[in-house]
Amino acid sequence: MTTAREIMTESAECVGAEESVLDAAKKMTELGVGALPICGTDDRLKGMLTDRDVVVKVLGVGKDPAQVKAGDLAQGEAVTIGADDDAEEILSTMTQHKVRRLPVIDGHRLVGVVAQADVARALPEPKVGDLLQALSTD
C-alpha cells in the first residue's frame, strides 16, 4: 500500500510561530501554496495556517496582518499523519477531521505535507469520491 512518505510533498517550509501573518502570506505567495505548517522555536509543529485563516481570522475582522503572529492562529494540537502510514489511514484522517492537507511527521520532525490531490492520485476512484464528498459537506 502507498505510504504518506511516497506521495507527500517533501521539504515543506514552515512559518515560524513568532513570524507575522503578513510574512506568512508573502511566503505562501512565493511558494505558490495555500497553507503552511506553523513551527515553534523548538521545530515542533504547532498547527497549520491557511490562506482562508488569513482572510477570515485576520483581514475579515480588521486585524493588521503585520501585527498578528502566525502562532496566534494555531488551534490546539495539529492533525498529522505518520510518514509510514498508508493511503487508507490518510483518507480516514482527512475524512474524520475534514482537512485537505496533512503535515507528515517522522518522529517529531515535519518531513512533508500530503494534500487532498496527492491522496486522489494514490487511491482508486470510488475512495477518492468518498473523500471529496466528506470534505465538501458541512
Side-chain angles (χ1 to χ4, degrees):
M1 180 53 90
T2 305
T3 66
R5 189 183 309 277
E6 295 169 321
I7 63 173
M8 70 185 186
T9 299
E10 291 184 47
S11 65
E13 283 201 40
C14 281
V15 59
E18 295 302 314
E19 289 184 67
S20 74
V21 170
L22 179 60
D23 289 337
K26 288 178 181 178
K27 189 178 281 191
M28 284 182 196
T29 301
E30 290 167 10
L31 297 171
V33 298
L36 288 172
I38 302 168
C39 294
T41 54
D42 58 359
D43 279 338
R44 297 265 176 131
L45 184 68
K46 303 297 182 197
M48 288 289 285
L49 177 68
T50 67
D51 47 9
R52 186 174 195 285
D53 293 331
V54 173
V55 172
V56 174
K57 297 175 182 174
V58 180
L59 300 176
V61 294
K63 293 181 181 176
D64 180 356
Q67 300 302 315
V68 178
K69 303 286 185 219
D72 295 342
L73 300 180
Q75 298 177 349
E77 192 170 326
V79 177
T80 63
I81 197 77
D84 296 317
D85 288 344
D86 65 32
E88 291 286 340
E89 181 66 23
I90 299 166
L91 173 70
S92 172
T93 302
M94 284 183 160
T95 302
Q96 178 183 353
H97 295 279
K98 293 193 176 251
V99 295
R100 289 176 166 76
R101 299 169 192 91
L102 281 174
V104 181
I105 303 295
D106 191 356
H108 292 289
R109 194 171 62 88
L110 177 71
V111 294
V113 174
V114 173
Q116 178 181 341
D118 300 324
V119 179
R121 286 188 289 270
L123 290 173
E125 282 187 37
K127 291 188 183 280
V128 172
D130 292 343
L131 174 61
L132 293 176
Q133 182 177 3
L135 294 178
S136 298
T137 59
D138 290 338

